[in-house]
Amino acid sequence: MDLIVDLHIHSHYSRATSKQCTVEGLYYWGKLKGITIIGTGDFTHPDWFTEMRDKLEPAEPGLFKLKNKLAAEIDRTLPETVRNNIIRFVPSVEISAIYSKGGKVRKLHQLIIVPSFSAVSEINARLERIGNLKADGRPILGIDSKELLRLTLEAEPDALFIPAHVWTPWFGMFGSKSGFDTIDEAFEELSPEIRAIETGLSSDPAMNWRVKNLDGLAITSNSDAHSPQKLGREATVIRTDMTYAAIAGAYKTNNESLIGTIEFFPEEGKYHADGHRLCGVRFTPEQTKERQGICPNCEKPLVIGVDYRVNELADRPVDYQPNLKQVEYIIPLAEIIAQLRGVKTSSSKAVMNECEKVYAALGDEFSILRTVPIARIREAGFGLLSLAIERLRNKDIVLEPGYDGVYGVIKVFKNHDERQQATDQLALL
Ligand SMILES: [Zn+2]
Ligand SMILES: [Zn+2]
């Protein structure tokens, strides 16, 4: 069975997150999105851990499910088309490790996944001695990433430790601001314990395949959602039994049970290109080099994005395609609908209502974006949407890359005229 896995999310105890990031909220949206395995996020936070223990119970070995009574209440509020989707949780957390090494300040985000609440307790007990776990669901700790890895494995040998969004400028292992150039520099003799990395929204597997240093590692994706509506904007697809050991095994061995990833178009990520948000300057790596990395407006150094950094560390050409794993690109349904309606915010009530109609008619979002036949989408009364999804599946879209914290824009129709043409074409059908 194909499992869609999203291990990196945040609870309502992390900064700048939605109040709906509760266990129930994640369950509800997990079903609408079509995700099977959801990381709980934030397990180091004492109140969130209490919430996890109150609401979750053991299911298959190393996995948890929402308690039946709570699940039944939420299922009643879900459309029938998604009600029978299976949702399992696994304890996870992202830690912000801030330390200095090699004469530089390092700020790296690391993802930890474990198979039991007792492992959570073990890790939390050790981390409590290092810093405050209550201040933020994603704790900021003064610990070397290598020591964090060591401590994690001592507490739980079966833990999965994944450097998060490895290319982002500020908190990525290879980030331009505070990262390293190789895994060995960061983890030294413990490097062999790093078996998987997270691409982050601004990079995709093809970009990572260009770097020899990453050969053999599992290239994985998660949403890093700060609200349950953003669950699964990226995810990893695996084909294994539904147990922690099988899932972690796929990540650790990168074998054929790790099918591949579902990706944002990397251009849509906030740090794909280089630039200055306040100066309105967005550069490709070539433009940045021409200008020696200096902003033409304010004369200060530009924020160097993911594309530039990958080019800097890559050993292979842009079009290197070893064909290792399946890579699918998606645009979230709410964003597509917002574009079709010509509105800016994908979180508006009108857009959400329309999403709900689509879910109720056709099932969960991943099925709609990936597999439901285009004709069926049209026959269900969503003509324009069917054209948009057809374009998405054919990658017939327009990309404006993100930079310096500004999300990129991916358009299914170039402009108003093109959308109008599509509408007219539909009327003829
Ligand atoms: Zn992070
Ligand atoms: Zn500037």
Side-chain angles (χ1 to χ4, degrees):
M1 171 184 178
D2 277 5
L3 310 177
I4 297 188
V5 185
D6 183 358
L7 298 174
H8 183 172
I9 67 110
H10 292 281
S11 78
H12 59 107
Y13 292 102
S14 276
R15 241 162 256 173
T17 53
S18 154
K19 282 194 192 67
Q20 293 177 56
C21 284
T22 58
V23 176
E24 292 92 331
L26 296 170
Y27 176 87
Y28 178 86
W29 279 96
K31 287 208 173 189
L32 288 175
K33 296 281 177 175
I35 299 165
T36 337
I37 311 286
I38 304 176
T40 60
D42 297 1
F43 74 53
T44 48
H45 196 283
D47 297 338
W48 181 241
F49 188 31
T50 301
E51 199 173 325
M52 285 162 58
R53 276 173 302 189
D54 282 350
K55 295 175 179 171
L56 299 176
E57 61 186 11
E60 298 79 7
L63 301 176
F64 295 82
K65 65 187 181 76
L66 187 63
K67 287 184 176 168
N68 286 336
K69 196 165 159 277
L70 290 170
E73 271 170 40
I74 298 170
D75 285 345
R76 270 199 294 277
T77 66
L78 280 161
E80 243 168 79
T81 49
V82 305
R83 211 170 280 168
N84 293 330
N85 285 0
I86 292 168
I87 301 280
R88 293 293 183 261
F89 291 91
V90 61
S92 73
V93 68
E94 181 188 40
I95 305 236
S96 185
I98 303 202
Y99 58 106
S100 79
K101 185 167 187 173
K104 249 180 99 176
V105 174
R106 313 292 178 168
K107 299 182 181 178
L108 304 190
H109 286 179
Q110 310 290 358
L111 208 54
I112 300 171
I113 298 99
V114 296
S116 67
F117 289 158
S118 59
V120 171
S121 299
E122 282 287 327
I123 291 173
N124 289 355
R126 285 166 162 85
L127 293 180
E128 249 164 33
R129 288 178 223 138
I130 295 165
N132 185 353
L133 301 183
K134 218 181 145 83
D136 194 336
R138 177 180 55 210
I140 299 169
L141 300 175
I143 182 172
D144 187 305
S145 292
K146 183 178 99 174
E147 295 313 316
L148 180 63
L149 171 57
R150 190 196 310 278
L151 173 157
T152 300
L153 293 174
E154 274 168 15
E156 175 51 68
D158 291 330
L160 199 53
F161 190 102
I162 305 176
H165 42 74
V166 291
W167 296 102
T168 51
W170 274 284
F171 298 104
M173 181 166 61
F174 303 130
S176 59
K177 292 280 177 188
S178 53
F180 295 90
D181 286 351
T182 63
I183 293 173
D184 281 353
E185 280 175 44
F187 292 101
E188 299 174 338
E189 76 277 9
L190 293 187
S191 301
E193 302 292 343
I194 301 295
R195 304 300 314 141
I197 56 164
E198 182 191 67
T199 63
L201 301 182
S202 299
S203 95
D204 66 359
M207 293 166 75
N208 288 273
W209 292 334
R210 295 179 56 203
V211 181
K212 271 193 194 141
N213 192 240
L214 302 179
D215 286 358
L217 297 185
I219 308 289
T220 69
S221 281
N222 301 296
S223 68
D224 200 350
H226 286 52
S227 69
Q229 292 85 342
K230 298 254 151 90
L231 272 176
R233 37 183 192 176
E234 292 203 331
T236 304
V237 185
I238 60 175
R239 197 169 292 157
T240 64
D241 296 340
M242 199 134 80
T243 66
Y244 176 88
I247 295 165
Y251 282 72
K252 286 182 182 182
T253 61
N254 195 30
N255 64 9
E256 66 283 357
S257 58
L258 196 146
I259 302 298
T261 55
I262 301 173
E263 298 280 326
F264 242 41
F265 288 95
E267 291 84 355
E268 193 174 3
K270 284 195 277 192
Y271 295 104
H272 185 77
D274 314 321
H276 269 168
R277 173 174 20 178
L278 295 177
C279 300
V281 171
R282 174 178 62 195
F283 277 177
T284 62
E286 294 72 36
Q287 289 173 308
T288 301
K289 263 182 225 148
E290 261 169 45
R291 291 256 173 191
Q292 275 93 41
I294 298 299
C295 172
N297 186 46
C298 70
E299 307 284 327
K300 295 200 180 101
L302 293 163
V303 173
I304 299 301
V306 164
D307 199 18
Y308 189 102
R309 233 353 229 167
V310 171
N311 275 309
E312 206 164 49
L313 298 186
D315 319 274
R316 301 177 175 127
V318 178
D319 53 2
Y320 179 72
Q321 283 290 349
N323 242 341
L324 295 171
K325 300 284 180 189
Q326 182 180 303
V327 183
E328 289 170 74
Y329 293 90
I330 55 163
I331 305 173
L333 182 65
E335 271 179 46
I336 297 177
I337 288 176
Q339 284 179 31
L340 299 184
R341 289 176 153 260
V343 297
K344 279 225 158 64
T345 50
S346 58
S347 54
S348 79
K349 190 103 193 96
V351 171
M352 279 299 141
N353 286 345
E354 177 119 9
C355 284
E356 274 164 35
K357 271 188 217 154
V358 180
Y359 297 141
L362 295 166
D364 63 69
E365 180 160 335
F366 274 134
S367 305
I368 294 163
L369 297 177
R370 299 166 72 217
T371 54
V372 172
I374 298 296
R376 230 190 101 205
I377 303 175
R378 194 173 58 233
E379 283 152 18
F382 306 105
L384 203 51
L385 179 67
S386 76
L387 290 180
I389 291 177
E390 191 169 32
R391 284 182 164 224
L392 166 65
R393 290 184 191 170
N394 295 332
K395 294 197 206 131
D396 179 13
I397 48 160
V398 185
L399 306 165
E400 287 172 17
Y403 67 106
D404 193 15
V406 183
Y407 279 111
V409 182
I410 311 296
K411 291 185 187 156
V412 276
F413 297 116
K414 244 180 247 118
N415 49 41
H416 181 77
D417 287 352
E418 220 186 71
R419 195 176 69 220
Q420 193 55 46
Q421 273 171 17
T423 315
D424 296 346
Q425 187 193 331
L426 269 179
L428 286 175
L429 280 174

